[in-house]
Amino acid sequence: MIINHIIGQSRIGFNRDLKKNLENCFEFNQYFDKNKNYLNELKKKILYNNWSLKINNNIDYINIGDFSFYDHILDNIFNINCIPKRFKIKDNENFLKNYFTLAKGDSNNQPLEMKKWFNTNYHYLVPEYDLNTKFLLNISILKNDICFAKIFKKKIKFIIIGPLTFLKLGKIKDNNLKNRLLLLPELLLTYFSLINELGDNIDLIQIDEPILILNLSEVWLKCFKNVYNILCSYFTNIIITTYFEQINEKYLKYIENIKFFSIHLDLINYKKINNFIKNENIKYKYISLGIIDGKNVWRNNLEKSFYFIKNIKKNFMISTSCSLIHVPVDLNSEKFKNKKFKNIKNWISFGNQKLEEIKNLSEIYEFSLNYNNKKYINKNFIKNIFFVMNKKKSKLIFIKKIQNKMKKININDFKYRINYNLRRDIQKKYFKLNLLTTTTIGSFPQTSKIRKIRIDYKNKIISKFDYENLLKKEIYFIIKKQLDYNLDIIVHGEPERNDMVEYFAESIEGFLITNNGWVQSYGSRYVKPPIIYGDMYIKNYLTLNWIKYSQNLTKKPLKGMLTGPVTMIKWSFRRIDQPNYITSLQIALVLKKEIKKLEKIGIKIIQIDEPAIREFLPIKNNKYKYYFNWAIKTFILILNGLKNNTQIHTHVCYSEFNNIINFINDLNVDVISIETSRSNMSITKTLYNYENDIGLGIYDIHTKRKMEINHAIYLIKIIINNIDIKKIWINPDCGLKTRKWFEIDKSLKNIVYCSKIFKNSKLLT
């Protein structure tokens, strides 16, 4: 009999229920206890629905440990009581208040840093370690969840981030701690106690160790072997999971003899799976096959999957490639009226549908085992074959005129502009810019009033004329605010944009916009990635009318705002029928047309946001060169032919540049803006040799903490001590759309004030 399971399931609820309740907790502290009770009831409801779905689709295990109010790494911090001492938390009774303090910060402390979860658009909160870090069990919540799960009388799988991954992804905050592996013995004891405490109540223990896909030193690999030899000698039901890439084959000698119950492999990204399966030294009872894509939304080719697993000689389990937190919840919530989009819907599979795919694949395989030569008609299997064939033959995907345009691209389209030092001199004179120029990243608060205007227009409650006039009033208000702050470079604030990718995707052919395809980015921040289904082109300009209107409202330079190709692809569900670089070049041609028009009407500062350029980076560093080759060429294609006094900015966020700074330099943009506030300016040392101008994000917009003058002065001093002041711009670390006006008013005024006083030579000493 085949065994199946799910690596993890979405926790946001069917209707983004979790988001609404979380934000009530954040907003209304006086009602925290009441909202806390709502949250706990909602958690039970989401767990009940998730478990019911598994049972209805004949999934063998229900999961404990994949639900989180905010972040699964933050949950682990609390499960093993690894709370940084700077938060001074002693009261375990106020769990949720303490929990949200680490995520959001308080009046005395910045929140934990955020970082991208491998190559996804999910952000996790970074654990902090020092020489005095201690680990203690705190698993009362897990025990409550297990008691609730027992009602269903199904096998229970407990999920936890592995000790090696937990250590590796954390950050040392103490110069006295020279190696985080010094903390491993105590951490292992804590994990041992945790599993032992829960052991009698759970049937399978899923320990996630995705760091096995990274390039690890021999020391880490030996530690991995020792840790799991110990754990597996006591617990015989451990499944170790990896995802997003394949395990380096050189690691096999460290992991092949460990007595795991099973090891999970992400088959979507595994190119040499047969080498692993045929390895006679591997003694695991099962190999878990992540054959259903947990990161993308395309239907699984069940016929192809069936013939693949049919030929496997070892015992195996069927699963998703990774957790389903990376895909929307339910395709049935999408009602596409457009006939074209109805056809595309048949090619798509969201989280709930992926459970159905596992069910169908399991049923077909089991029938083939039990009834060798008999014919078995499974309606869903037949439908799947039809839809897969329909997609391959569809005329919606490949557009001849776009393919012809692509063929005309040649080497002359990838020429750099003149040397940046020459451009800098031209631009400084043209814009009359002084030291420490101030600006923002682009967006301003998306108020309930702005959202209502957009919704009313979408629902045809107001006319296009009324919609545009109402938004022009908002733009006027936003620009007036910036003039009051005395910012050097103005933006129009983007009130017409719902999301930095979706807004452009709505106007570009080849994108499908969903109504309810929400995915968690971090905490209560959810995004709705578009789906790239075919060749890309555009009939009209994207931003022209709003920018023309905005420029007429001020004599200060106005910055045009576009989203770059890499980010559009990364923050969408991308095509799997052509290489990413082809899709990227198609988007580049769209943006090239737009940017040339902006330049023609007098917009001389243009920001092409690429916050995803670091997160799109391949996990294996031997693939960096290939990736940056097409990513950089795409960018150069957009800029090719621009005048030297047109200043190009780009923005990247929550990125570590230590090992890629040379590639970033090759983008050859005039100004790059980078998040630095949460990392306490540590990135400035890396940027010392960066040649072009740099905008340092000193105001952390992901919390309610205001930018105080003393703190701004402290941060700017660090910057000036590490980077040539002639290169420095000062700005928030990201867009301001998630903040309230009363939060940013004081912060932006203080940023401008501090940048101005730093021009006094006394403060520069």
Side-chain angles (χ1 to χ4, degrees):
M1 183 176 175
I2 196 167
I3 298 175
N4 56 40
H5 67 118
I6 305 295
I7 297 302
Q9 216 165 340
S10 174
R11 57 239 191 173
I12 67 177
F14 285 107
N15 227 358
R16 290 187 294 159
D17 312 299
L18 187 58
K19 174 186 175 71
K20 297 163 190 172
N21 283 272
L22 275 177
E23 289 178 350
N24 281 340
C25 268
F26 301 154
E27 289 291 326
F28 307 110
N29 282 331
Q30 65 269 40
Y31 303 117
F32 186 88
D33 289 337
K34 186 178 179 182
N35 289 323
K36 177 182 73 174
N37 293 334
Y38 286 148
L39 267 182
N40 285 318
E41 288 304 309
L42 178 59
K43 174 185 176 179
K44 283 190 172 182
K45 181 181 174 184
I46 292 171
L47 287 175
Y48 181 90
N49 288 335
N50 282 354
W51 295 339
S52 297
L53 277 165
K54 287 193 182 78
I55 292 167
N56 292 338
N57 285 289
N58 300 329
I59 306 299
D60 290 312
Y61 296 90
I62 58 176
N63 294 349
I64 292 292
D66 61 346
F67 177 85
S68 177
F69 283 120
Y70 201 94
D71 168 51
H72 54 279
I73 298 293
L74 181 60
D75 292 354
N76 213 45
I77 290 170
F78 274 82
N79 288 338
I80 59 175
N81 211 21
C82 178
I83 299 167
K85 289 184 173 57
R86 65 186 175 90
F87 288 97
K88 297 178 181 175
I89 289 174
K90 296 178 181 177
D91 182 7
N92 288 327
E93 295 299 314
N94 291 320
F95 162 70
L96 274 180
K97 233 171 199 177
N98 297 337
Y99 181 87
F100 293 140
T101 297
L102 266 66
K104 308 288 284 183
D106 59 24
S107 57
N108 298 314
N109 288 286
Q110 286 187 319
L112 296 177
E113 289 181 40
M114 277 199 301
K115 191 176 174 184
K116 301 285 186 182
W117 180 245
F118 293 87
N119 60 351
T120 73
N121 189 33
Y122 178 81
H123 305 66
Y124 71 93
L125 290 162
V126 180
E128 295 178 4
Y129 308 123
D130 58 42
L131 196 59
N132 297 313
T133 296
K134 302 293 179 187
F135 306 101
L136 295 167
L137 276 191
N138 183 18
I139 55 172
S140 56
I141 291 169
L142 286 174
K143 285 185 174 179
N144 291 339
D145 291 348
I146 288 172
C147 287
F148 182 39
K150 282 187 172 181
I151 297 169
F152 289 79
K153 297 182 178 177
K154 284 282 287 183
K155 289 181 179 178
I156 296 173
K157 181 177 68 168
F158 168 58
I159 301 171
I160 189 169
I161 293 294
L164 277 299
T165 294
F166 187 71
L167 274 183
K168 187 74 172 173
L169 298 186
K171 191 165 188 177
I172 295 175
K173 289 286 188 175
D174 178 0
N175 291 332
N176 295 318
L177 181 62
K178 302 302 180 185
N179 189 335
R180 69 195 72 198
L181 286 172
L182 293 172
L183 303 174
L184 184 58
E186 188 179 345
L187 181 59
L188 174 58
L189 283 173
T190 308
Y191 268 72
F192 186 94
S193 300
L194 187 153
I195 296 170
N196 200 43
E197 283 273 330
L198 303 178
D200 293 338
N201 298 301
I202 50 182
D203 300 281
L204 195 61
I205 304 160
Q206 177 182 311
I207 304 182
D208 291 353
E209 290 284 14
I211 63 161
L212 273 180
I213 64 173
L214 303 178
N215 293 318
L216 299 174
S217 68
E218 190 175 5
V219 173
W220 277 86
L221 291 167
K222 284 181 177 177
C223 286
F224 184 91
K225 183 177 181 178
N226 293 336
V227 163
Y228 285 99
N229 271 330
I230 293 168
L231 286 176
C232 291
S233 65
Y234 285 92
F235 307 106
T236 59
N237 56 346
I238 290 177
I239 173 172
I240 200 81
T241 62
T242 65
Y243 30 76
F244 307 141
E245 251 286 5
Q246 66 184 45
I247 300 170
N248 192 321
E249 288 193 11
K250 294 176 183 176
Y251 298 176
L252 285 182
K253 65 179 181 180
Y254 295 96
I255 65 174
E256 61 190 8
N257 293 317
I258 302 173
K259 295 179 181 178
F260 294 124
F261 175 80
S262 178
I263 188 165
H264 174 79
L265 308 173
D266 177 349
L267 294 200
I268 307 302
N269 294 291
Y270 227 106
K271 307 305 179 191
K272 299 179 181 177
I273 186 65
N274 285 330
N275 293 356
F276 198 98
I277 292 171
K278 291 176 182 177
N279 188 328
E280 296 299 325
N281 295 323
I282 290 174
K283 303 292 191 273
Y284 318 142
K285 289 183 181 177
Y286 291 89
I287 293 178
S288 173
L289 304 175
I291 203 164
I292 306 296
D293 194 344
K295 269 182 73 180
N296 213 331
V297 295
W298 303 110
R299 272 182 183 267
N300 182 273
N301 185 332
L302 291 180
E303 184 180 26
K304 183 179 176 182
S305 295
F306 167 69
Y307 284 113
F308 173 79
I309 64 175
K310 192 177 180 183
N311 292 320
I312 293 178
K313 305 304 178 186
K314 293 194 175 184
N315 293 330
F316 62 87
M317 308 163 79
I318 293 177
S319 185
T320 52
S321 62
C322 60
S323 171
L324 296 176
I325 65 170
H326 306 292
V327 294
V329 177
D330 190 8
L331 187 61
N332 292 326
S333 64
E334 299 298 330
K335 309 294 181 188
F336 296 121
K337 295 177 182 177
N338 184 307
K339 186 180 177 183
K340 175 175 76 172
F341 289 164
K342 280 183 179 178
N343 287 334
I344 295 169
K345 185 179 177 181
N346 292 327
W347 309 341
I348 294 169
S349 170
F350 286 177
N352 291 355
Q353 287 65 48
K354 291 180 186 294
L355 269 65
E356 293 170 11
E357 288 176 338
I358 288 180
K359 176 187 176 184
N360 291 328
L361 189 56
S362 299
E363 286 179 352
I364 296 158
Y365 179 77
E366 285 202 5
F367 186 89
S368 73
L369 288 180
N370 298 326
Y371 304 95
N372 267 335
N373 296 318
K374 289 191 177 181
K375 291 183 179 178
Y376 174 57
I377 298 175
N378 182 305
K379 290 181 181 177
N380 292 319
F381 189 61
I382 302 299
K383 272 186 184 178
N384 180 274
I385 292 171
F386 173 78
F387 290 141
V388 168
M389 292 302 296
N390 174 265
K391 179 174 182 286
K392 285 180 180 177
K393 294 179 180 179
S394 175
K395 294 179 181 177
L396 295 173
I397 295 177
F398 293 102
I399 311 297
K400 191 172 182 180
K401 66 176 183 180
I402 305 304
Q403 295 295 318
N404 289 338
K405 264 190 179 183
M406 296 295 292
K407 289 174 185 176
K408 291 178 182 177
I409 296 174
N410 61 62
I411 195 167
N412 293 321
D413 294 310
F414 299 107
K415 287 184 177 178
Y416 276 108
R417 296 191 289 166
I418 64 168
N419 180 276
Y420 176 64
N421 288 325
L422 297 175
R423 293 203 312 271
R424 179 192 278 138
D425 292 340
I426 293 168
Q427 291 166 10
K428 294 280 184 185
K429 290 175 185 175
Y430 184 85
F431 295 112
K432 299 176 182 176
L433 298 176
N434 295 314
L435 300 176
L436 301 177
T437 306
T438 55
T439 187
T440 64
I441 300 306
S443 62
F444 271 82
Q446 292 273 315
T447 62
S448 55
K449 181 181 176 184
I450 288 173
R451 288 195 294 269
K452 185 176 186 305
I453 292 168
R454 286 205 307 262
I455 291 168
D456 285 351
Y457 176 59
K458 186 178 179 181
N459 294 331
K460 299 181 180 178
I461 295 170
I462 59 175
S463 67
K464 184 178 181 182
F465 177 82
D466 289 336
Y467 164 74
E468 289 181 350
N469 279 333
L470 287 168
L471 284 186
K472 282 177 180 177
K473 288 180 182 177
E474 295 299 320
I475 291 171
Y476 177 84
F477 172 78
I478 292 167
I479 287 179
K480 187 176 182 303
K481 277 277 192 182
Q482 292 173 85
L483 294 174
D484 290 342
Y485 302 146
N486 201 19
L487 287 161
D488 295 311
I489 307 297
I490 306 298
V491 296
H492 83 290
E494 306 174 16
E496 78 284 4
R497 304 184 192 184
N498 45 6
D499 175 84
M500 64 181 292
V501 173
E502 185 174 333
Y503 172 76
F504 292 100
E506 286 172 336
S507 302
I508 300 174
E509 294 294 327
F511 275 109
L512 168 65
I513 307 297
T514 64
N515 298 312
N516 298 293
W518 297 99
V519 175
Q520 186 183 25
S521 178
Y522 63 86
S524 63
R525 167 73 173 148
Y526 302 163
V527 292
K528 191 153 59 73
I531 299 169
I532 302 174
Y533 66 85
D535 287 344
M536 316 186 88
Y537 62 97
I538 195 163
K539 295 171 183 174
N540 300 307
Y541 290 107
L542 297 160
T543 64
L544 206 61
N545 291 336
W546 298 113
I547 297 299
K548 279 171 76 174
Y549 168 76
S550 304
Q551 183 65 89
N552 290 332
L553 299 176
T554 177
K555 291 181 180 179
K556 284 194 172 187
L558 184 88
K559 186 164 55 168
M561 305 297 302
L562 301 170
T563 300
V566 170
T567 299
M568 280 205 212
I569 297 172
K570 181 61 181 172
W571 290 1
S572 302
F573 293 111
R574 55 192 186 272
R575 291 174 66 171
I576 55 175
D577 58 351
Q578 73 176 15
N580 290 322
Y581 77 86
I582 299 291
T583 306
S584 184
L585 289 172
Q586 289 179 358
I587 299 173
L589 290 176
V590 168
L591 295 179
K592 187 176 183 68
K593 178 182 175 184
E594 182 80 10
I595 208 169
K596 289 292 284 183
K597 189 65 176 178
L598 289 173
E599 184 185 60
K600 192 173 181 179
I601 65 167
I603 304 300
K604 291 297 201 175
I605 300 180
I606 302 167
Q607 182 170 306
I608 307 172
D609 283 331
E610 283 291 20
I613 197 161
R614 173 62 176 80
E615 106 191 34
F616 211 158
L617 196 67
I619 289 170
K620 296 283 195 286
N621 58 14
N622 62 344
K623 298 177 183 177
Y624 284 8
K625 193 171 181 180
Y626 169 78
Y627 161 66
F628 276 114
N629 184 45
W630 68 257
I632 290 168
K633 279 184 176 175
T634 299
F635 213 85
I636 294 167
L637 176 64
I638 301 170
L639 307 184
N640 181 258
L642 291 179
K643 295 176 181 176
N644 292 318
N645 63 350
T646 298
Q647 189 177 75
I648 299 298
H649 292 228
T650 192
H651 168 63
V652 294
C653 58
Y654 296 102
S655 299
E656 291 185 353
F657 291 100
N658 300 14
N659 56 345
I660 62 166
I661 191 65
N662 291 334
F663 293 113
I664 295 296
N665 211 39
D666 288 342
L667 284 174
N668 199 28
V669 293
D670 300 303
V671 185
I672 184 170
S673 59
I674 296 174
E675 176 276 327
T676 52
S677 57
R678 283 204 178 188
S679 56
N680 203 28
M681 300 290 139
S682 60
I683 198 172
T684 54
K685 294 174 184 176
T686 302
L687 295 170
Y688 178 78
N689 291 320
Y690 182 74
E691 295 175 5
N692 300 8
D693 281 15
I694 310 165
L696 283 305
I698 65 170
Y699 167 31
D700 181 4
I701 64 89
H702 295 91
T703 76
K704 291 184 179 181
R705 300 178 76 225
K706 295 182 178 68
M707 184 82 257
E708 300 295 342
I709 288 175
N710 287 343
H711 191 54
I713 289 173
Y714 166 73
L715 295 178
I716 294 173
K717 273 188 176 180
I718 294 174
I719 295 167
I720 291 170
N721 286 335
N722 285 284
I723 299 173
D724 182 352
I725 193 169
K726 294 175 184 176
K727 299 179 183 178
I728 299 169
W729 292 53
I730 301 293
N731 44 257
D733 65 0
C734 207
L736 298 163
K737 71 178 179 181
T738 59
R739 299 272 52 89
K740 308 289 185 189
W741 278 107
F742 73 87
E743 293 169 352
I744 68 170
D745 278 338
K746 180 179 179 182
S747 296
L748 291 183
K749 283 178 181 176
N750 286 347
I751 285 174
V752 173
Y753 173 75
C754 291
S755 72
K756 301 298 181 193
I757 64 170
F758 260 91
K759 292 170 188 179
N760 181 327
S761 60
K762 290 179 183 177
L763 284 174
L764 296 177
T765 57

